[in-house]
Amino acid sequence: MLIKLKKDRTHQEDRRLALWLATSAGLLNAIALGAFGFFPSHMTGNTSQLSSEVSSTDLNDILFFGAIILSFVAGAIAARIMVLWGIIHNVRLIFCQILIIEGLLLAGVSLYEMYFHSFSTNRQIIVFLCGLMGIHNSTSTQLSSGRVRSTHITGTLTDAGISLASVVVAMLRRDYSKDTAAQKSQLKTHLTTLFSFITGGIAGLILFREFGFHAMLALGLMLVVVATFSIMRISLRVRRVRPALSK
């Protein structure tokens, strides 16, 4: 699910991707809410809040919300640059490597909060987490060619509504074409993303209440483990295929 193949990705692969990345996004979003009272993935709300702060002329808050938006965009840009580098150098495991970097950065932030937590640095941590969310969302979007956006729930709900309408109309017209089947598969993928994000959010709040920043540390390590397992699995598969091809 973390490998960009030459063949078209299946919806099953995208659903597995949604299960892991949308769930982890929901977990981090909820943990950040519990820790800082803030959603690092909610860019629509943050942009609206920036507009509100501009009207109230509070310079500190204007700079804060501006930094949040720029950090999210910077994370998305960084992920894209890394993917392009991987494409240029034919690195098929680039998405796994990005996920490992994200997991290690998240684990580092978690350790900092566990041992050096200070309210004076809360805003800086929030800005950093928004950058990680940008990386996270950009990675899933590029890997799935836009079919899985792990943090962009507004867009996913819109896409799910479009797919549902298409499926309902096709059913009423008794249209059993390949296009209808594709819409049904896409709808299932969107619903999987939504369910995963919501489930991750509920679990994140519960885990933070029970374990504090240890829950965030576990999430970072989980991302590293998932990506590392994918790398090992692909490496073993390549080793098995090479001898067969040389015969």
Side-chain angles (χ1 to χ4, degrees):
M1 68 175 180
L2 292 176
I3 308 299
K4 193 82 169 181
L5 301 174
K6 291 182 180 179
K7 67 179 181 62
D8 292 335
R9 285 175 62 86
T10 65
H11 283 280
Q12 187 176 5
E13 289 171 333
D14 283 339
R15 283 174 208 139
R16 289 203 299 269
L17 181 71
L19 277 172
W20 283 106
L21 296 193
T23 300
S24 58
L27 280 165
L28 180 55
N29 211 38
I31 291 172
L33 176 65
F36 310 109
F38 207 90
F39 289 118
S41 73
H42 190 31
M43 288 301 113
T44 303
N46 293 333
T47 304
S48 300
Q49 189 65 32
L50 174 61
S51 303
S52 174
E53 296 301 335
V54 169
S55 65
S56 67
T57 65
D58 188 329
L59 183 59
N60 287 332
D61 286 342
I62 290 172
L63 292 174
F64 173 57
F65 284 101
I68 282 173
I69 296 168
L70 289 175
S71 179
F72 188 92
V73 174
I77 292 172
R80 180 55 179 167
I81 291 173
M82 285 187 279
V83 169
L84 289 174
W85 179 89
I87 293 173
I88 292 170
H89 293 86
N90 197 29
V91 180
R92 293 180 61 196
L93 300 174
I94 187 62
F95 291 97
C96 298
Q97 294 169 357
I98 293 173
L99 205 60
I100 288 175
I101 292 171
E102 181 192 349
L104 291 174
L105 290 173
L106 182 57
V109 171
S110 305
L111 290 171
Y112 174 83
E113 288 297 312
M114 287 165 58
Y115 294 102
F116 307 104
H117 176 69
S118 172
F119 290 107
S120 63
T121 61
N122 277 2
R123 287 196 165 188
Q124 289 87 336
I125 297 298
I126 291 170
V127 170
F128 187 79
L129 291 178
C130 287
L132 291 184
M133 279 293 193
I135 293 174
H136 198 81
N137 195 50
S138 178
T139 301
S140 63
T141 301
Q142 292 180 81
L143 183 53
S144 65
S145 299
R147 295 197 293 196
V148 176
R149 292 180 172 89
S150 55
T151 70
H152 187 37
I153 300 306
T154 302
T156 302
L157 282 169
T158 303
D159 293 341
I162 292 171
S163 296
L164 178 60
S166 299
V167 170
V168 170
V169 170
M171 290 175 63
L172 293 175
R173 295 180 59 190
R174 296 185 178 181
D175 179 7
Y176 305 106
S177 64
K178 290 183 178 180
D179 184 62
T180 302
Q183 289 291 349
K184 288 181 179 179
S185 295
Q186 187 62 58
L187 178 60
K188 291 178 183 178
T189 301
H190 291 321
L191 293 177
T192 301
T193 303
L194 293 169
F195 176 78
S196 299
F197 189 88
I198 293 170
T199 304
I202 295 171
L205 284 174
I206 295 172
L207 290 171
F208 183 76
R209 288 171 184 170
E210 293 294 325
F211 305 105
F213 285 106
H214 288 85
M216 186 183 289
L217 175 62
L219 175 59
L221 295 177
M222 183 196 77
L223 292 174
V224 173
V225 169
V226 170
T228 302
F229 177 77
S230 295
I231 290 174
M232 293 173 61
R233 186 177 179 184
I234 293 299
S235 299
L236 288 173
R237 185 181 300 175
V238 169
R239 289 178 183 178
R240 291 173 183 170
V241 170
R242 280 178 179 172
L245 293 175
S246 61
K247 290 181 180 179

